[in-house]
């Protein structure tokens, strides 16, 4: 049976607000588990190190919350997994290594990663080599820090590498590290015309984490919606997770322009929708 504690809040939606405001909203909503989006202004990570973790950890403990996972910003920055240029990839390795260490310092056991992207026109067979090499190296760092990397697929609007189940599975194979497991991002899954069931069939117990949000099926967009604002079959997806005895966390990665003005209200609406399922009973 799925538990309330598996629901994890995320601060990405709150990046225009203080970290304390985010924590207050989580506490008021009833969420106790956190996935940290470790980007500015809440955190600072670069190729030289990571900062503010001790201060933020004290804040989190003060609200009786706990960190279960972390996501180190990629795609919007020069640091990403899909660079073919070796010098760029080396800088990215330094950045993501520090991100893994920062996540471990915050108490996270899972670090979310992705494939990054490559120049359009490069065949998948060539494009996948860069992130595979980088993730293999990062796997050694993750092992030393006692964390597991969980790789999500992205939409075809975000990447030309791991944009579906088949490509994600092949990237994991080529990365060849026990520190890398699969995770499901529900928006990317439905964008690719796939289902959660297919991901469980492919990975089984190696599917260890989720970005579990609502979205559109017929109108394929990147929007990461509060439950009830989209079309995904929530009750059916909950039954699927119970069928496969999923015990990982379900991060509410809300990301929609209309929510920025009042993220707390979007969070409350989302929690109310989840509370109406067997997920939170």
């Amino acid at each position: 049976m799925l538990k309330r504690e598996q629901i994890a809040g995320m601060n990405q939606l709150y990046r225009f607000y203080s970290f304390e405001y985010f924590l207050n909203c989580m506490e008021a909503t009833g969420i106790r588990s956190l996935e940290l989006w470790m980007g500015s202004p809440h955190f600072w990570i670069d190729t030289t190190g990571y900062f503010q973790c001790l201060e933020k950890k004290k804040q989190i403990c003060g609200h009786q919350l706990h960190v279960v996972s972390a996501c180190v910003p990629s795609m919007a920055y020069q640091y990403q997994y899909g660079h073919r240029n070796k010098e760029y990839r080396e800088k990215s390795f330094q950045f993501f290594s520090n991100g893994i260490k920062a996540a471990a310092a915050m108490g996270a056991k899972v670090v979310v990663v992705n494939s990054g992207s490559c120049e359009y026109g490069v065949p998948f067979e060539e494009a996948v080599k860069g992130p595979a090499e980088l993730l293999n190296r990062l796997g050694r760092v993750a092992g030393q820090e006692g964390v597991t990397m969980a790789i999500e697929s992205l939409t075809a609007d975000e990447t030309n590498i791991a944009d579906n189940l088949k490509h994600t599975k092949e990237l994991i194979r080529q990365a060849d590290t026990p520190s890398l497991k699969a995770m499901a991002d529900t928006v990317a899954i439905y964008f690719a015309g796939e289902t959660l069931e297919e991901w469980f069939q492919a990975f089984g117990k190696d599917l260890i984490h989720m970005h579990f949000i609502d979205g559109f099926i017929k109108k394929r967009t990147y929007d990461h919606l509060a439950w009830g604002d989209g079309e995904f079959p929530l009750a059916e997806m909950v039954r699927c997770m119970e069928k496969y005895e999923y015990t990982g966390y379900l991060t509410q990665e809300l990301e929609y322009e209309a929510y920025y003005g009042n993220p707390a209200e979007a969070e409350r609406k989302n929690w109310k929708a989840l509370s109406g399922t067997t997920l939170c009973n």
Side-chain angles (χ1 to χ4, degrees):
M1 180 64 69
L2 293 161
K3 302 176 182 178
R4 286 176 178 262
E5 291 75 18
Q6 288 175 262
I7 301 296
M10 191 178 190
N11 58 310
Q12 180 170 260
L13 182 63
Y14 297 79
R15 57 175 171 254
F16 301 117
Y17 299 80
S18 71
F19 192 67
E20 184 68 17
Y21 177 85
F22 161 68
L23 297 178
N24 286 332
C25 288
M26 294 297 99
E27 194 169 35
T29 303
I31 291 175
R32 291 291 175 262
S33 303
L34 302 179
E35 176 168 322
L36 297 178
W37 178 79
M38 303 192 75
S40 178
H42 294 170
F43 293 88
W44 185 268
I45 299 171
D46 59 26
T47 58
T48 66
Y50 53 92
F51 313 92
Q52 298 180 317
C53 287
L54 181 60
E55 172 192 337
K56 293 299 191 298
K57 193 169 186 178
K58 288 180 179 178
Q59 282 182 271
I60 292 168
C61 290
H63 287 267
Q64 297 184 325
L65 303 167
H66 70 287
V67 177
V68 299
S69 54
C71 181
V72 184
S74 55
M75 305 301 291
Y77 294 80
Q78 66 268 42
Y79 307 122
Q80 58 122 327
Y81 302 91
H83 282 306
R84 289 202 299 161
N85 182 291
K86 289 186 177 180
E87 292 180 357
Y88 289 172
R89 200 155 67 244
E90 184 59 35
K91 290 294 184 183
S92 294
F93 171 75
Q94 294 167 11
F95 171 75
F96 289 117
S97 292
N98 286 332
I100 289 171
K101 293 172 184 176
M106 295 300 300
K109 294 301 182 183
V110 172
V111 175
V112 174
V113 298
N114 59 61
S115 67
S117 190
C118 188
E119 299 96 328
Y120 283 13
V122 176
F124 170 79
E125 293 74 18
E126 180 65 26
V128 74
K129 294 178 181 178
E133 178 203 44
L134 185 62
L135 289 167
N136 176 273
R137 295 176 65 195
L138 290 172
R140 293 192 286 273
V141 179
Q144 292 167 358
E145 296 295 326
V147 302
T148 301
M149 299 185 299
I151 186 166
E152 62 178 338
S153 61
L154 302 172
T155 70
D157 286 346
E158 301 170 283
T159 183
N160 57 351
I161 305 178
D163 58 349
N164 58 37
L165 172 56
K166 179 182 177 181
H167 288 166
T168 304
K169 193 170 184 178
E170 177 60 17
L171 175 52
I172 292 174
R173 187 191 71 80
Q174 291 196 31
D176 191 26
T177 169
S179 295
L180 182 64
K181 303 296 183 181
M183 67 168 280
D185 181 295
T186 51
V187 170
I189 286 174
Y190 277 96
F191 193 100
E194 300 164 348
T195 66
L196 190 57
E197 176 106 21
E198 290 174 323
W199 277 67
F200 275 113
Q201 289 173 345
F203 293 110
K205 296 297 183 182
D206 280 342
L207 198 161
I208 65 166
H209 192 64
M210 286 195 204
H211 282 169
F212 188 72
I213 52 276
D214 205 352
F216 296 114
I217 298 175
K218 296 178 182 179
K219 181 179 69 173
R220 295 181 181 180
T221 70
Y222 169 81
D223 299 327
H224 289 47
L225 304 177
W227 286 104
D229 284 353
E231 304 170 340
F232 293 170
L234 176 57
E236 177 185 316
M237 295 165 79
V238 170
R239 287 194 295 270
C240 179
M241 288 186 285
E242 291 176 339
K243 173 183 175 181
Y244 288 93
E245 300 179 337
Y246 177 72
T247 59
Y249 288 92
L250 302 162
T251 298
Q252 304 304 292
E253 189 195 23
L254 303 182
E255 181 70 14
Y256 186 47
E257 187 176 357
Y259 299 155
Y260 286 129
N262 193 347
E265 178 57 32
E267 206 77 63
R268 283 191 293 268
K269 179 179 181 179
N270 187 62
W271 182 256
K272 183 178 180 180
L274 289 172
S275 298
T277 71
T278 57
L279 178 61
C280 291
N281 291 340

